[in-house]
Amino acid sequence: MQTAAATVASTEVALPTTPPWRRVSAFVALTKPRVIELLLVTTLPTMMLAHGGFPSIGLVIATLVGGALAAGCANVLNCYLDRDIDKVMHRTKRRPLVTGEVTGREALVFGFALGVISLVWLALAANPLTSALTAGAIVIYVVGYTMILKRRTSQNIVWGGIAGCMPVFIGWAAVTDSLSWAAVALFGVIFFWTPPHYWPLAMKFRKDYAAAGVPMLPVVAADKRVAVESIAYAVAMVACSLALVPLAGMSWVYTVAAAGLGVWFIASCVGLYRRANQPGTKLREMRVFHGSITYLSVLFLVVAIDPLLPW
């Protein structure tokens, strides 16, 4: 006859354990790798423009690694602070802090560790100005955008987007240990690019944002107004891209490319406005979203190539 202990032991089922690779994947997901990739796309070309060619490979690697760690820190802390609304939104409900793959405490430790490492790394591998600008970017995104603006104003992404502009300052400072008006023009390009980049995505997921109580402009305003403001920001963005010509001595290749890309992207925003004025017509807002990524990627590719041209 089995004892009670033996009976319990015979009926116990081993609890499944999370494979190590799955845990690593969960922590990586918290850093939002796609966002980091977009930030780094603007950093390297800025460094090349500041240097007038390709900087030392050691400095490039050091700056990109430090920037990636800092962006990862900001994104992890953003996920921690937004874990309550991430549960509500369809596109974020599978994030590791929502599913429980990563605990809140683990995320905090991971996020702060990334931040400290990135700032020390950049101070030693680049210069103190680069580290200070990076610290500013983290604070703007985590405190300014996530904690203060995101749930309080429809202009959240406009001012919170300053954090996404900082990589050009960071890249410029890493090379020159200073800033310049050319860097300010590049900053302006990304600042004015952010609303027409992000608002189409918010239009697509407006029900998610509304359910989570996040007042993104497409949640609180008509599609017409969102499209009009997107056009205005796109025009300002193109103006900043062309201001780089006299400020950085860009060639005709960059000038033609910047003008052509600008006209194309403004036209896509105008198309969104026209569709918003036709009831029953699909907005095709994601076309503008993906187009904005193409615009920024190609523009900064030309920024990188221009200093290498023989004229």
Side-chain angles (χ1 to χ4, degrees), residues 14 19 31 33 36 38-39 53 58 99 102 105-106 161 165 169 184-185 228 286:
T31 67
I36 294 176
L38 191 59
L39 294 176
T99 62
V102 177
R105 181 175 181 177
E106 289 173 334
C165 307
F169 279 175
V184 172
V228 168
M286 293 304 286

Side-chain angles (χ1 to χ4, degrees), residues 54-226:
F54 204 90
S56 71
I57 191 66
L59 180 62
V60 169
I61 293 174
T63 305
L64 294 183
V65 169
L69 292 174
C73 158
N75 289 330
V76 170
L77 296 179
N78 168 266
C79 286
Y80 173 80
L81 293 167
D82 278 352
R83 63 195 186 284
D84 58 331
I85 61 176
D86 283 347
K87 293 179 182 178
V88 180
M89 298 179 63
H90 178 73
R91 75 182 186 91
T92 57
K93 67 182 182 181
R94 300 304 302 169
R95 285 180 176 170
L97 278 168
V98 178
T99 62
E101 293 175 273
V102 177
T103 68
R105 181 175 181 177
E106 289 173 334
L108 277 179
V109 172
F110 181 51
F112 279 112
L114 289 176
V116 171
I117 292 170
S118 69
L119 297 182
V120 173
W121 172 270
L122 287 171
L124 297 176
N127 53 64
L129 176 59
T130 302
S131 181
L133 290 168
T134 302
I138 293 172
V139 171
I140 291 170
Y141 187 70
V142 176
V143 179
Y145 172 66
T146 306
M147 296 179 67
I148 298 175
L149 296 171
K150 184 171 183 177
R151 309 191 195 203
R152 289 179 172 85
T153 172
S154 62
Q155 297 301 304
N156 47 21
I157 200 64
V158 177
W159 301 109
I162 290 174
C165 307
M166 294 298 286
V168 298
F169 279 175
I170 292 166
W172 196 279
V175 172
T176 67
D177 199 11
S178 64
L179 296 176
S180 73
W181 286 111
V184 172
L186 289 171
F187 182 100
V189 169
I190 304 174
F191 177 80
F192 291 114
W193 167 85
T194 302
H197 161 68
Y198 201 88
W199 282 339
L201 183 68
M203 294 171 85
K204 173 73 172 178
F205 296 101
R206 79 176 78 219
K207 290 182 179 178
D208 269 3
Y209 285 112
V214 179
M216 289 292 178
L217 186 64
V219 173
V220 301
D223 291 338
K224 254 177 81 171
R225 179 185 163 191
V226 177

